[in-house]
Amino acid sequence: MTGPLRPEFHEGQVLAAADLAATVAYARSAAVRHARLSHDWGIADGLGMTTVNRTDPVSGNRFAEVTVQAGLAIDGTGREILVPAPVVLSEADFEAVNGADGPSTEPYPVFLTAADRARPATGPASCAGAGGPTRVEESYQILFRRHGDERLVADQQPPAVAAAPAAPPAQWLVLLGFVQWDGTHFTAAVPAARGVGPRYVGVRADTVSARSDSLALRTLPAVQEGKPALVLSGSPTPSLVYGLYKGTGDVDPLLTVAPNGNLTIAGSFSGQISAGSVLATSGSATDGMVLPLPSGVTPAEVADGRVALHVYVTPKIPPSESGLTVPAEATVDGDRRVRCRLRSYDPGVGPAVTETAGSVDFLVLATVAATSGGG
């Protein structure tokens, strides 16, 4: 099999229609190969479905007029599908496919596909007589399908690597969304149904670089307050920041990785404890308090033996100039409840020995035994 053929011309050459068509075909083939092989297909811009409330002049019932907004999609063959202006969905076209169904709350899928439309010849007739059309409109078609047909999108297979643009193009379905139907009119438009929604274009790359020394990854095309962002910066200090956008457009950092590897987080750190690791928590507690578990350890893990607890308590003896205070009890029961009692004797107050509730400093260690291979 030969590679792509690039047209070449020389002085005095008689140009046939095939020579000029080859020039166009060469450029089209290069463009669709790039779009098909360097990108993931889907909606590139626009093409959202919007609704306007209307009233049926005969029945007086309210319904929704559904409009597909202008936009651009790239299908799985690498072809651009341009919708240059908003288009109102045709209820007659919908009825031709699904009109036999009764009213249903289940949404119906709406698809976009490419369509070529020949245009009449322009200019004077050639010496050889009337020819075919000299223009082909790269247009589109909006299709309605049955319940569940949205899953056909995942079954579509792209053409071979060296395939030229199909002529006429093979039908490739781009899901726009779903409409609901009451048996007479559309009643709503929804972006997703039955776990399937529109697909958007992507890029296939092992390296993504930024010319401004800052690379941002966000969930929407435009900056929006409260939405997440991941920002990799090279100056003034190299850093990796995850946070939420503020109203000013800056990112409020929730997690920052410094050049030396230090990690700074605004919230708490938690996670599943792994084999061989130790988590700890410490502090002070008074008699009757339940000691906390280290962050990342659940009571269920302790109860079923996946995590072993080691608890250390040290009674806190208050200072006294004339008396003596000793711990009578400093323990922790099976519910991690502290039992601390202090006995005091002060000859300056009286001969009696008193007993009061005390407090302790505690250390709680949570451990999981390391496995010896495969565990």
Side-chain angles (χ1 to χ4, degrees):
M1 178 181 288
T2 62
L5 295 177
R6 184 176 69 248
E8 291 284 350
F9 304 103
H10 57 81
E11 293 293 339
Q13 177 182 350
V14 176
L15 295 180
D19 296 317
L20 298 177
T23 304
V24 175
Y26 178 80
R28 286 189 69 208
S29 296
V32 298
R33 282 195 301 270
H34 174 81
R36 184 173 70 239
L37 303 176
S38 298
H39 300 269
D40 291 323
W41 66 271
I43 295 173
D45 188 67
L47 300 179
M49 295 199 303
T50 59
T51 60
V52 176
N53 292 327
R54 303 293 188 194
T55 301
D56 189 310
V58 177
S59 66
N61 294 332
R62 301 282 285 174
F63 67 96
E65 180 183 85
V66 183
T67 299
V68 174
Q69 298 301 313
L72 176 72
I74 310 295
D75 72 15
T77 72
R79 168 160 176 161
E80 290 187 351
I81 310 175
L82 176 66
V83 179
V87 56
V88 177
L89 295 188
S90 169
E91 293 183 334
D93 290 347
F94 179 89
E95 283 191 297
V97 178
N98 299 300
D101 294 355
S104 173
T105 58
E106 282 294 313
Y108 292 85
V110 182
F111 296 99
L112 178 72
T113 190
D116 278 353
R117 294 189 173 92
R119 293 305 185 195
T122 59
S126 68
C127 297
T134 60
R135 300 290 188 274
V136 176
E137 179 188 1
E138 296 185 343
S139 188
Y140 65 90
Q141 186 178 5
I142 294 177
L143 304 175
F144 299 102
R145 291 292 181 89
R146 308 286 294 170
H147 291 147
D149 282 352
E150 65 274 3
R151 304 198 181 277
L152 296 174
V153 170
D155 297 332
Q156 299 176 112
Q157 296 298 318
V161 171
Q171 187 180 84
W172 190 281
L173 300 177
V174 178
L175 180 65
L176 298 180
F178 298 80
V179 291
Q180 290 180 314
W181 179 256
D182 66 2
T184 305
H185 294 291
F186 297 129
T187 58
V190 294
R194 297 177 286 275
V196 181
R199 170 176 172 149
Y200 298 90
V201 294
V203 61
R204 301 176 185 179
D206 292 316
T207 300
V208 178
S209 60
R211 298 178 60 185
S212 65
D213 207 24
S214 178
L215 185 65
L217 180 66
R218 56 176 180 256
T219 58
L220 292 174
V223 172
Q224 185 172 327
E225 185 176 2
K227 293 295 183 179
L230 184 66
V231 181
L232 179 64
S233 299
S235 61
T237 301
S239 65
L240 176 65
V241 174
Y242 168 78
L244 303 179
Y245 278 113
K246 298 186 289 187
T248 59
D250 298 323
V251 175
D252 186 15
L254 300 178
L255 181 150
T256 303
V257 181
N260 60 1
N262 287 346
L263 180 67
T264 303
I265 58 175
S268 61
F269 182 82
S270 64
Q272 184 177 6
I273 184 172
S274 58
S277 62
V278 178
L279 296 180
T281 186
S282 61
S284 298
T286 58
D287 180 66
M289 287 183 60
V290 176
L291 297 183
L293 292 173
S295 179
V297 178
T298 66
E301 292 173 324
V302 177
D304 62 20
R306 284 178 289 169
V307 174
L309 293 183
H310 306 271
V311 182
Y312 304 89
V313 293
T314 302
K316 300 172 71 173
I317 307 299
S320 175
E321 295 182 356
S322 59
L324 176 66
T325 300
V326 297
E329 181 184 17
T331 61
V332 177
D333 64 16
D335 296 324
R336 307 191 311 279
R337 191 177 301 278
V338 173
R339 301 297 183 189
C340 182
R341 307 293 295 179
L342 300 179
R343 287 178 184 159
S344 300
Y345 170 69
D346 189 344
V349 176
V353 176
T354 59
E355 187 171 298
T356 58
S359 62
V360 298
D361 291 323
F362 68 85
L363 173 65
V364 179
L365 300 178
T367 63
V368 175
T371 57
S372 56

